[in-house]
mmCIF file of all heavy atoms in Angstrom:
data_model
loop_
_atom_site.group_PDB
_atom_site.id
_atom_site.type_symbol
_atom_site.label_atom_id
_atom_site.label_comp_id
_atom_site.label_asym_id
_atom_site.label_seq_id
_atom_site.Cartn_x
_atom_site.Cartn_y
_atom_site.Cartn_z
ATOM 1 N N GLY Q 386 -44.584 -82.685 91.141
ATOM 2 C CA GLY Q 386 -44.150 -83.902 90.518
ATOM 3 C C GLY Q 386 -42.754 -83.735 89.969
ATOM 4 O O GLY Q 386 -41.903 -84.661 90.098
ATOM 5 N N TRP Q 387 -42.483 -82.586 89.224
ATOM 6 C CA TRP Q 387 -41.234 -82.391 88.667
ATOM 7 C C TRP Q 387 -40.121 -82.042 89.746
ATOM 8 O O TRP Q 387 -39.003 -82.509 89.578
ATOM 9 C CB TRP Q 387 -41.267 -81.241 87.610
ATOM 10 C CG TRP Q 387 -41.961 -81.638 86.424
ATOM 11 C CD1 TRP Q 387 -43.134 -81.165 85.934
ATOM 12 C CD2 TRP Q 387 -41.527 -82.566 85.458
ATOM 13 N NE1 TRP Q 387 -43.439 -81.803 84.764
ATOM 14 C CE2 TRP Q 387 -42.407 -82.722 84.418
ATOM 15 C CE3 TRP Q 387 -40.365 -83.459 85.443
ATOM 16 C CZ2 TRP Q 387 -42.321 -83.596 83.392
ATOM 17 C CZ3 TRP Q 387 -40.186 -84.317 84.323
ATOM 18 C CH2 TRP Q 387 -41.178 -84.346 83.305
ATOM 19 N N ILE Q 388 -40.484 -81.359 90.786
ATOM 20 C CA ILE Q 388 -39.507 -81.202 91.906
ATOM 21 C C ILE Q 388 -39.150 -82.522 92.405
ATOM 22 O O ILE Q 388 -37.947 -82.794 92.698
ATOM 23 C CB ILE Q 388 -40.161 -80.270 92.973
ATOM 24 C CG1 ILE Q 388 -40.245 -78.819 92.477
ATOM 25 C CG2 ILE Q 388 -39.347 -80.349 94.275
ATOM 26 C CD1 ILE Q 388 -41.029 -77.934 93.384
ATOM 27 N N GLY Q 389 -40.099 -83.432 92.730
ATOM 28 C CA GLY Q 389 -39.810 -84.751 93.234
ATOM 29 C C GLY Q 389 -38.907 -85.558 92.250
ATOM 30 O O GLY Q 389 -38.057 -86.286 92.718
ATOM 31 N N THR Q 390 -39.157 -85.330 90.979
ATOM 32 C CA THR Q 390 -38.459 -86.058 89.938
ATOM 33 C C THR Q 390 -36.936 -85.640 89.906
ATOM 34 O O THR Q 390 -36.051 -86.561 89.758
ATOM 35 C CB THR Q 390 -39.096 -85.834 88.576
ATOM 36 O OG1 THR Q 390 -40.397 -86.420 88.576
ATOM 37 C CG2 THR Q 390 -38.317 -86.526 87.458
ATOM 38 N N TYR Q 391 -36.696 -84.431 90.036
ATOM 39 C CA TYR Q 391 -35.311 -83.893 89.907
ATOM 40 C C TYR Q 391 -34.544 -83.824 91.245
ATOM 41 O O TYR Q 391 -33.297 -83.934 91.263
ATOM 42 C CB TYR Q 391 -35.297 -82.569 89.147
ATOM 43 C CG TYR Q 391 -35.574 -82.789 87.653
ATOM 44 C CD1 TYR Q 391 -36.779 -82.332 87.163
ATOM 45 C CD2 TYR Q 391 -34.672 -83.484 86.873
ATOM 46 C CE1 TYR Q 391 -37.019 -82.491 85.775
ATOM 47 C CE2 TYR Q 391 -34.917 -83.638 85.511
ATOM 48 C CZ TYR Q 391 -36.105 -83.145 84.996
ATOM 49 O OH TYR Q 391 -36.329 -83.397 83.628
ATOM 50 N N ALA Q 392 -35.188 -83.579 92.306
ATOM 51 C CA ALA Q 392 -34.501 -83.434 93.616
ATOM 52 C C ALA Q 392 -33.836 -84.699 94.071
ATOM 53 O O ALA Q 392 -32.804 -84.687 94.608
ATOM 54 C CB ALA Q 392 -35.469 -82.848 94.640
ATOM 55 N N GLY Q 393 -34.476 -85.818 93.827
ATOM 56 C CA GLY Q 393 -34.018 -87.157 94.228
ATOM 57 C C GLY Q 393 -32.602 -87.408 93.526
ATOM 58 O O GLY Q 393 -31.615 -87.691 94.230
ATOM 59 N N PRO Q 394 -32.549 -87.338 92.222
ATOM 60 C CA PRO Q 394 -31.269 -87.610 91.565
ATOM 61 C C PRO Q 394 -30.187 -86.554 91.894
ATOM 62 O O PRO Q 394 -29.040 -86.877 92.044
ATOM 63 C CB PRO Q 394 -31.570 -87.527 90.101
ATOM 64 C CG PRO Q 394 -32.989 -87.915 90.037
ATOM 65 C CD PRO Q 394 -33.710 -87.366 91.239
ATOM 66 N N ALA Q 395 -30.698 -85.291 92.183
ATOM 67 C CA ALA Q 395 -29.678 -84.281 92.578
ATOM 68 C C ALA Q 395 -29.085 -84.658 93.988
ATOM 69 O O ALA Q 395 -27.882 -84.501 94.194
ATOM 70 C CB ALA Q 395 -30.358 -82.920 92.679
ATOM 71 N N GLY Q 396 -29.880 -85.195 94.807
ATOM 72 C CA GLY Q 396 -29.362 -85.632 96.161
ATOM 73 C C GLY Q 396 -28.496 -86.802 95.986
ATOM 74 O O GLY Q 396 -27.417 -86.893 96.666
ATOM 75 N N ALA Q 397 -28.729 -87.736 95.066
ATOM 76 C CA ALA Q 397 -27.930 -88.898 94.812
ATOM 77 C C ALA Q 397 -26.544 -88.494 94.251
ATOM 78 O O ALA Q 397 -25.493 -89.033 94.671
ATOM 79 C CB ALA Q 397 -28.590 -89.828 93.892
ATOM 80 N N ILE Q 398 -26.570 -87.452 93.413
ATOM 81 C CA ILE Q 398 -25.284 -86.963 92.842
ATOM 82 C C ILE Q 398 -24.445 -86.353 94.002
ATOM 83 O O ILE Q 398 -23.206 -86.620 94.073
ATOM 84 C CB ILE Q 398 -25.526 -85.890 91.758
ATOM 85 C CG1 ILE Q 398 -26.099 -86.542 90.464
ATOM 86 C CG2 ILE Q 398 -24.319 -85.070 91.422
ATOM 87 C CD1 ILE Q 398 -26.669 -85.592 89.461
ATOM 88 N N LEU Q 399 -25.039 -85.601 94.864
ATOM 89 C CA LEU Q 399 -24.261 -84.995 95.957
ATOM 90 C C LEU Q 399 -23.675 -86.110 96.833
ATOM 91 O O LEU Q 399 -22.492 -85.995 97.181
ATOM 92 C CB LEU Q 399 -25.177 -84.143 96.903
ATOM 93 C CG LEU Q 399 -25.252 -82.674 96.629
ATOM 94 C CD1 LEU Q 399 -26.190 -81.975 97.666
ATOM 95 C CD2 LEU Q 399 -23.916 -81.999 96.546
ATOM 96 N N LEU Q 400 -24.408 -87.119 97.172
ATOM 97 C CA LEU Q 400 -23.875 -88.214 97.950
ATOM 98 C C LEU Q 400 -22.777 -88.974 97.179
ATOM 99 O O LEU Q 400 -21.729 -89.321 97.692
ATOM 100 C CB LEU Q 400 -24.961 -89.164 98.323
ATOM 101 C CG LEU Q 400 -25.871 -88.723 99.510
ATOM 102 C CD1 LEU Q 400 -26.978 -89.728 99.780
ATOM 103 C CD2 LEU Q 400 -25.112 -88.386 100.700
ATOM 104 N N ALA Q 401 -22.964 -89.215 95.922
ATOM 105 C CA ALA Q 401 -22.011 -89.925 95.077
ATOM 106 C C ALA Q 401 -20.601 -89.207 95.009
ATOM 107 O O ALA Q 401 -19.622 -89.800 94.919
ATOM 108 C CB ALA Q 401 -22.604 -90.178 93.728
ATOM 109 N N LEU Q 402 -20.746 -87.865 94.979
ATOM 110 C CA LEU Q 402 -19.440 -87.053 94.865
ATOM 111 C C LEU Q 402 -18.623 -87.245 96.116
ATOM 112 O O LEU Q 402 -17.473 -86.981 96.040
ATOM 113 C CB LEU Q 402 -19.868 -85.656 94.619
ATOM 114 C CG LEU Q 402 -20.397 -85.293 93.216
ATOM 115 C CD1 LEU Q 402 -20.840 -83.877 93.169
ATOM 116 C CD2 LEU Q 402 -19.390 -85.651 92.187
ATOM 117 N N ASN Q 403 -19.242 -87.512 97.281
ATOM 118 C CA ASN Q 403 -18.490 -87.631 98.506
ATOM 119 C C ASN Q 403 -17.675 -86.519 98.803
ATOM 120 O O ASN Q 403 -16.452 -86.589 98.944
ATOM 121 C CB ASN Q 403 -17.734 -88.959 98.490
ATOM 122 C CG ASN Q 403 -17.224 -89.339 99.893
ATOM 123 O OD1 ASN Q 403 -17.828 -88.924 100.909
ATOM 124 N ND2 ASN Q 403 -16.183 -90.124 100.023
ATOM 125 N N ILE Q 404 -18.233 -85.299 98.762
ATOM 126 C CA ILE Q 404 -17.625 -84.075 99.087
ATOM 127 C C ILE Q 404 -18.121 -83.517 100.355
ATOM 128 O O ILE Q 404 -19.085 -84.065 101.029
ATOM 129 C CB ILE Q 404 -17.759 -82.986 97.946
ATOM 130 C CG1 ILE Q 404 -19.230 -82.754 97.662
ATOM 131 C CG2 ILE Q 404 -16.986 -83.534 96.749
ATOM 132 C CD1 ILE Q 404 -19.507 -81.661 96.574
ATOM 133 N N ARG Q 405 -17.567 -82.432 100.861
ATOM 134 C CA ARG Q 405 -17.882 -81.851 102.190
ATOM 135 C C ARG Q 405 -19.431 -81.572 102.328
ATOM 136 O O ARG Q 405 -19.997 -81.873 103.382
ATOM 137 C CB ARG Q 405 -17.151 -80.513 102.392
ATOM 138 C CG ARG Q 405 -17.335 -79.909 103.814
ATOM 139 C CD ARG Q 405 -16.575 -78.666 103.933
ATOM 140 N NE ARG Q 405 -16.885 -77.586 103.017
ATOM 141 C CZ ARG Q 405 -17.940 -76.799 103.051
ATOM 142 N NH1 ARG Q 405 -18.810 -76.922 103.971
ATOM 143 N NH2 ARG Q 405 -18.144 -75.939 102.098
#
Side-chain angles (χ1 to χ4, degrees):
W387 286 113
I388 288 171
T390 298
Y391 287 110
I398 289 169
L399 267 183
L400 286 179
L402 289 174
N403 196 24
I404 56 178
R405 186 179 56 81

